[in-house]
Amino acid sequence: LKTEALSALADAGTTKDLESARVRYLGRSADLTEIKKGIRDLPPDDRKAVGGASNRATKEIEAALAERLAEVAVSEREERLRAEAVDVTLPGVPYPKGSLHPSLRIIDEVVDFFVGLGYRVAEGPEVETDYYNFTALNIPPGHPARGMQDTFFLDDGLVLRTHTSPVQVRTMLSQEPPVYIVCPGRTYRRDSDPTHTPMFNQIEGLAVDKGLTLGDLKGTLAAMARHVFGEDVKVRLRPSYFQFVEPGVELDVSCFVCGGSDPNCKVCKGAGWIEMLGAGMVDPAVLSEAGYDPEEYTGFAFGMGPDRMAMVRYGIPDLRLFFEGDLRFLQQF
Ligand code: PHE
């Protein structure tokens, strides 16, 4: 019986096999256990011999079992490590990668350009008070110009800012002149079609100093247009109107796709020029409202739409593509 048990243990290759061998040879209904149970029924002379032999057999089997268990544990562990081994030299699985959004590319280029000129980047809240969005910009309550802004009104006299121009006022109130800032940010209007989305980006600019003129405005924006759209781009100013500037202008850039000469050009539609942004000399009323002396300081301001600029530069027909986060769209830029 002992020999059989020992050879079964030697043959058992896994912890599980060893456990069944233990149950079979040492368990409650194992032959050896039965023998021990039967000892008390034996004639007294035989009890000692049988008892001693069966105890020795038990000890030997237990010792062999413990030894085999230790051996098997080692080999099972090695086996597991082999199976779980990771080849750290294999190349990783790349995550799908996005890319910079076309609007963000324009914003970065424009902001970089102005930072290079010494402008500071300023920010303001997207939930704005009626005062900063309108009144301080020379658009008093009840003024018809308010109705043209497609404003999202919130409770308590708050609005979603319809432009980044309130940052002009906040900046002037927070510091003394001279001021040179650019302010990229999100703006909101109740408007939705292929070329308008309720949320869109603007970049505001404001310069206030002694002796600034419309010539400074034009030269600055011409340099910006060359930086973003190419060295050959020309600009022109057209008269326009915004309540917070006087005079107000719109800036066009010459069509950088067809050089301004192709009547079938898709970008400028044969006009030779592309409307780019609104600008003007800061209205003295706005300077005064912000606590600056309009006799001493003059300034110019401008506001542009980087989403629109990206559509023009990359030939994107539908603004709604900008907001879908589709990698097939984004990876093209
Ligand atoms: N805030 C104007 C708009 O959103 C743009 C602008 C900014 C015009 C600064 C003039 C000066 O239409």
Side-chain angles (χ1 to χ4, degrees):
L1 203 56
K2 185 186 85 187
T3 321
E4 186 193 317
L6 291 180
S7 98
L9 287 176
D11 288 347
T14 66
T15 317
K16 234 169 109 197
D17 292 347
L18 287 170
E19 174 59 13
S20 20
R22 185 192 66 76
V23 171
R24 173 141 169 49
Y25 294 105
L26 298 174
R28 255 186 292 135
S29 46
D31 291 344
L32 197 54
T33 314
E34 292 300 327
I35 291 172
K36 286 181 183 170
K37 282 186 200 154
I39 289 177
R40 67 177 114 94
D41 303 326
L42 290 175
D45 291 348
D46 292 343
R47 288 185 194 165
K48 200 170 174 194
V50 175
S54 58
N55 276 339
R56 275 196 302 280
T58 302
K59 285 224 173 72
E60 239 177 283
I61 295 171
E62 280 173 352
L65 177 67
E67 195 178 319
R68 281 299 290 148
L69 270 175
E71 281 167 18
V72 166
V74 169
S75 66
E76 281 183 348
R77 191 175 127 83
E78 274 167 7
E79 179 56 37
R80 201 176 60 239
L81 287 177
R82 240 193 319 280
E84 290 176 358
V86 173
D87 182 352
V88 294
T89 65
L90 282 178
V93 182
Y95 282 98
K97 234 195 318 194
S99 56
L100 285 187
H101 192 281
S103 294
L104 191 58
R105 286 182 187 268
I106 301 281
I107 292 170
D108 282 352
E109 285 176 30
V110 171
V111 169
D112 277 356
F113 169 78
F114 283 105
V115 166
L117 289 188
Y119 284 54
R120 189 171 62 76
V121 177
E123 286 185 323
E126 291 170 34
V127 173
E128 190 51 283
T129 65
D130 178 283
Y131 175 76
Y132 289 119
N133 197 79
F134 295 119
T135 309
L137 289 165
N138 210 21
I139 315 174
H143 193 287
R146 288 188 171 212
M148 294 162 58
Q149 295 260 10
D150 291 318
T151 311
F152 284 110
F153 292 97
L154 307 173
D155 288 342
D156 302 326
L158 295 173
V159 299
L160 291 181
R161 67 179 178 191
T162 58
H163 49 184
T164 41
S165 300
V167 184
Q168 291 185 32
V169 180
R170 287 181 173 275
T171 304
M172 287 191 278
L173 286 172
S174 72
Q175 69 160 87
E176 294 298 317
V179 173
Y180 290 90
I181 54 153
V182 262
C183 162
R186 279 191 264 269
T187 50
Y188 301 84
R189 289 185 199 183
R190 236 178 44 231
D191 214 349
S192 189
D193 65 36
T195 55
H196 295 87
T197 49
M199 191 285 287
F200 58 103
N201 291 287
Q202 278 199 346
I203 306 173
E204 193 81 10
L206 173 69
V208 182
D209 208 337
K210 288 180 178 159
L212 288 180
T213 68
L214 196 64
D216 295 312
L217 181 159
K218 186 174 180 183
T220 303
L221 293 177
M224 187 276 298
R226 288 195 297 269
H227 177 79
V228 178
F229 295 112
E231 272 311 307
D232 300 330
V233 160
K234 297 192 174 29
V235 300
R236 72 175 184 188
L237 297 181
R238 276 180 297 112
S240 185
Y241 184 77
F242 303 94
Q243 288 71 25
F244 33 92
V245 287
E246 181 58 37
V249 296
E250 239 154 273
L251 182 105
D252 296 342
V253 302
S254 59
C255 185
F256 46 84
V257 175
C258 69
S261 54
D262 178 0
N264 299 316
C265 175
K266 284 207 178 67
V267 170
C268 60
K269 303 192 175 68
W273 296 91
I274 307 160
E275 286 180 29
M276 195 49 59
L277 53 83
M281 300 307 291
V282 182
D283 195 301
V286 174
L287 292 173
S288 305
E289 183 73 19
Y292 286 9
D293 180 359
E295 298 292 330
E296 197 180 356
Y297 289 98
T298 56
F300 61 80
F302 52 87
M304 66 189 100
D307 309 318
R308 188 63 46 80
M309 291 160 79
M311 289 177 86
V312 170
R313 180 156 95 182
Y314 298 115
I316 304 163
D318 191 330
L319 195 53
R320 287 171 292 196
L321 285 165
F322 281 40
F323 300 94
E324 286 166 1
D326 189 329
L327 284 181
R328 291 169 303 180
F329 171 72
L330 292 172
Q331 276 164 347
Q332 295 177 62
F333 307 102

